[in-house]
Amino acid sequence: MAIRREKPQSFRGSPVLVAIVVGILLGCVFALLYPRGFFSSDPANATTRRTAKSDRQAASSCESPDRVRMLKSDIVSLTESNALLKKQARELNEKLQMAEQEKDHAQKQVLLLGKQQKAGPFGTVKSLRTNLAVLPDESVNPRLSKLLKEIAVQNEVIVALANSNVKEMLEVWFTNIKRVGIPNYLVVALDDHIVDFCKSNGVPVYKRDPDEGVDSIARTGGNHAVSGLKFRVLREFLQLGYSVLLSDIDIVFLQNPFHHLYRDSDVESMTDGHDNRTAYGFNDVFDEPAMGWARYAHTMRIWVYNSGFFYMRPTLPAIELLDRVAGRLSREPNSWDQAVFNEELHFPSHPGYDGLHAARRTMDYYLFMNSKVLFKTVRKDAKLKQLKPVIVHLNYHPDKFPRMKAVVEYYVNGKQDALEPFPDGSDW
């Protein structure tokens, strides 16, 4: 039997092995030929990209001046807008202040002076007594404003109204003001003769613009007519931001009154009272027997403030007082200005009437002395005769001019019997 020899078999999978070997060899060849990688760009391409980038940067640098100009324009626009906003803020602030002035006094104090506070321990609580001054408004009367800037001292001035009917007393009035050395005073002349008289004596004088129907009465009228006009005149002084010490002409100045004011109230006035009770108030008991057990009714009384000598600060309550008095006097021509002045100042709010919310102070009646105190009490008391008042107001007596001269003789010239010829009261 013949034996069949088989052909030896080739190594299975040799094509795979060959492929692996070939791949490795190719990898080595490429590694040698392209050490920086087969897919890396050539230097020419890199140079092209760098050139393109430089071109873009150059283009950007060319655009920067335009961009800067645009930014500067934006800054200018924003600056102008900011200035406009600041101006509007100031205007709104002014309007807010004006609005606050029209609010109730207590609320205004809370808004402007601080936050609401808790009450302190017993006996330590003190409420606010001084109202805020108004914002000065020079547009009210530029001519008067210019004059007051020249003569006022710390925004305060003595003001008196005068016509030719009181020329003799006016001379005594300003002569003693000059002697005391008071620089801040002004005569409001109601006719041309007083203007000339004041100028010839070196007295600061101001004549109002004509106001027919009002000034015409004062030019020829007596004390009451002039007294009624003063409430209208004083309003402009307060609106301009000045505190005013109103003085009638029948007053002798012996000291500077500005050294003796408290300035803690809207109105600080001399009194027609003649002792502590009448000047500063007292409890007066009214007896009505028909009421039996309730026959005694307690009342509070105070003698009136004198409307011929008072100090006013430029506050809303003070201006409102002037408006109220001037308004009533125009509607009630037969009313006495001093009575109206006190009613509007003191009457409280009640059904159908809103009272004036004004702070008030009564002046020391020995320093700011009325003629009743002088002739009825002081001249008869050895100790009181040694006092030197700030002013003496001859309000209780019709023979004003001779008594004014006697006051000067007594207090200025030292004539001890100068007051003796006059009775306590008047002969009429």
Side-chain angles (χ1 to χ4, degrees):
M1 176 173 95
I3 301 174
R4 183 170 60 89
R5 295 182 63 186
E6 295 181 356
K7 293 175 65 174
Q9 293 179 347
S10 61
F11 182 74
R12 181 174 292 180
S14 58
V16 175
L17 180 60
V18 172
I20 292 174
V21 173
V22 171
I24 292 173
L25 292 173
L26 290 175
C28 292
V29 172
F30 282 115
L32 292 173
L33 296 176
Y34 303 100
R36 296 184 179 181
F38 179 75
F39 294 102
S40 62
S41 57
D42 58 11
N45 291 335
T47 303
T48 303
R49 285 196 298 270
R50 285 196 296 270
T51 303
K53 183 177 180 181
S54 299
D55 291 342
R56 288 195 299 270
Q57 291 176 346
S60 176
S61 63
C62 291
E63 293 175 359
S64 60
D66 294 335
R67 181 62 177 169
V68 169
R69 283 193 294 271
M70 185 169 61
L71 290 174
K72 287 183 178 180
S73 177
D74 291 341
I75 292 174
V76 172
S77 178
L78 289 173
T79 303
E80 293 176 351
S81 299
N82 187 42
L84 179 61
L85 289 173
K86 287 183 178 180
K87 180 180 178 181
Q88 292 175 342
R90 287 194 299 268
E91 293 176 351
L92 288 174
N93 187 49
E94 292 176 357
K95 291 180 180 179
L96 178 61
Q97 290 179 346
M98 295 301 293
E100 287 173 348
Q101 290 179 352
E102 297 175 357
K103 293 181 180 179
D104 178 76
H105 170 57
Q107 184 178 1
K108 180 182 65 178
Q109 288 178 327
V110 172
L111 291 174
L112 297 182
L113 299 182
K115 298 179 180 179
Q116 289 178 298
Q117 300 178 0
K118 293 181 179 180
F122 179 82
T124 65
V125 176
K126 296 292 183 182
S127 63
L128 294 172
R129 291 167 172 79
T130 306
N131 283 296
L132 297 174
V134 299
L135 292 173
D137 184 4
E138 295 186 3
S139 65
V140 170
N141 192 328
R143 184 165 63 92
L144 179 59
S145 176
K146 181 180 179 181
L147 178 59
L148 291 176
K149 289 178 181 178
E150 298 174 357
I151 65 173
V153 176
Q154 295 182 346
N155 279 18
E156 294 180 323
V157 62
I158 298 173
V159 176
L161 279 69
N163 60 22
S164 296
N165 293 335
V166 295
K167 183 177 178 180
E168 289 182 329
M169 289 192 294
L170 177 61
E171 186 172 11
V172 176
W173 182 85
F174 65 65
T175 298
N176 283 277
I177 285 181
K178 290 182 177 181
R179 180 186 55 77
V180 173
I182 304 171
N184 48 330
Y185 69 100
L186 178 67
V187 174
V188 178
L190 302 178
D191 57 51
D192 293 333
H193 295 294
I194 292 298
V195 173
D196 297 336
F197 180 65
C198 288
K199 288 182 177 180
S200 64
N201 286 277
V203 174
V205 63
Y206 165 75
K207 190 173 186 297
R208 300 175 67 236
D209 294 329
D211 186 1
E212 296 301 331
V214 177
D215 290 351
S216 59
I217 300 174
R219 280 194 294 269
T220 58
N223 289 339
H224 286 296
V226 173
S227 187
L229 175 63
K230 67 190 174 191
F231 296 100
R232 291 183 178 271
V233 174
L234 293 183
R235 191 187 204 281
E236 293 184 348
F237 287 81
L238 300 190
Q239 283 184 278
L240 293 172
Y242 291 86
S243 296
V244 176
L245 183 58
L246 185 280
S247 172
D248 279 355
I249 299 302
D250 57 340
I251 290 177
V252 177
F253 285 79
L254 302 171
Q255 299 184 58
N256 190 329
F258 292 112
H259 297 164
H260 301 272
L261 298 175
Y262 285 81
R263 300 174 177 85
D264 63 347
S265 304
D266 300 298
V267 180
E268 196 168 342
S269 177
M270 73 171 296
T271 175
D272 274 0
H274 57 91
D275 56 23
N276 287 347
R277 296 175 75 251
T278 57
Y280 307 139
F282 64 100
N283 183 2
D284 186 34
V285 180
F286 176 76
D287 184 10
E288 189 176 6
M291 287 299 295
W293 174 81
R295 63 181 292 181
Y296 300 110
H298 291 257
T299 67
M300 301 304 300
R301 297 187 62 187
I302 184 173
W303 284 32
V304 296
Y305 284 175
N306 191 286
S307 63
F309 191 88
F310 56 80
Y311 176 81
M312 276 191 173
R313 295 179 57 251
T315 65
L316 287 179
I319 295 175
E320 183 182 359
L321 174 61
L322 297 177
D323 289 350
R324 287 185 177 214
V325 176
R328 280 191 55 184
L329 291 176
S330 65
R331 297 188 302 270
E332 307 167 13
N334 295 325
S335 296
W336 183 27
D337 70 281
Q338 182 161 292
V340 174
F341 176 75
N342 280 271
E343 289 171 2
E344 294 298 335
L345 185 58
H346 292 283
F347 280 178
S349 298
H350 54 264
Y353 176 79
D354 290 329
L356 183 71
H357 294 262
R360 53 192 183 273
R361 170 180 283 274
T362 305
M363 293 177 172
D364 186 328
Y365 64 91
Y366 281 130
L367 293 179
F368 299 91
M369 190 181 298
N370 61 58
S371 56
K372 180 176 182 178
V373 173
L374 175 61
F375 286 97
K376 186 179 178 181
T377 305
V378 171
R379 68 171 177 168
K380 300 176 183 179
D381 188 292
K383 292 184 178 180
L384 293 178
K385 287 175 69 175
Q386 298 176 10
L387 296 176
K388 186 177 183 180
V390 177
I391 60 106
V392 175
H393 189 181
L394 283 302
N395 59 313
Y396 268 101
H397 299 87
D399 51 340
K400 299 179 182 298
F401 184 56
R403 291 191 187 239
M404 287 180 72
K405 293 191 293 183
V407 168
V408 174
E409 287 293 326
Y410 180 78
Y411 283 108
V412 178
N413 300 327
K415 187 177 181 180
Q416 295 300 307
D417 61 348
L419 303 176
E420 298 305 321
F422 300 93
D424 290 354
S426 59
D427 295 331
W428 67 283

